[in-house]
Amino acid sequence: YSKPQRKNRSGGWYASDNYPRRLERNADFQEDLLNVKIYQEELDTFQGKYIGMVVKVANLTKTKILFNAQDSRIDMRVQALDTSGQWRDIEVMFNSWCGNSYHRLELKPDYYWSFVTPVYEGDFETILRIQLEYIEPSKTYDYESCKKVKYVYSNEYPGSLNLSQFVIEKS
């Protein structure tokens, strides 16, 4: 979540208490980049019961980074190498029917978000990563510029899943 411009104003979308945190400069991130890093050794839970790994999204650029968001969810999804060695999504973010769900989130330079990603289990051993979509930095951030998206990828990590996870229903 990004702090709203006006107090007590979410615009109709879901508000979260996962605000950006100030980054320690000695952190393990690449300078001058938007970073996505998975910490396999740092386990946590989400939704009160599922095991996951900590993920940090850190902005080490000199400009704010904007993200298209839906109910305060940025488009960040786990991908895995399939049986052909191609990267494929194993998660999907379904579209909302409510127009008020859509907005933008901001991550200022030298700030980061912390998330938890699932530890998937299954019979198929493979390599996984996270793909994060963000808006190409612009001076105006008008409607058209917010359609110019780019992707950044996390470090890769070993895991397992069920092959059926490659079959994703589209909304």
Side-chain angles (χ1 to χ4, degrees), residues 66-137:
L66 293 184
F67 301 85
N68 289 315
Q70 176 185 312
D71 290 324
S72 294
R73 293 177 298 170
I74 56 179
D75 193 341
M76 184 167 65
R77 59 187 76 195
V78 176
Q79 297 181 323
L81 286 175
D82 67 11
T83 56
S84 303
Q86 300 295 310
W87 287 108
R88 296 202 22 220
D89 293 344
I90 61 168
E91 297 177 338
V92 66
M93 187 163 85
F94 292 101
N95 294 326
S96 172
W97 53 267
C98 179
N100 288 338
S101 292
Y102 298 93
H103 57 105
R104 286 188 290 278
L105 294 176
E106 167 183 305
L107 188 60
K108 293 178 184 175
D110 298 320
Y111 278 81
Y112 74 97
W113 280 303
S114 185
F115 302 98
V116 178
T117 189
V119 173
Y120 290 105
E121 295 179 356
D123 296 331
F124 179 64
E125 292 188 14
T126 187
I127 304 296
L128 297 98
R129 69 180 183 187
I130 289 180
Q131 174 188 277
L132 172 62
E133 179 185 291
Y134 66 100
I135 300 170
E136 183 175 17

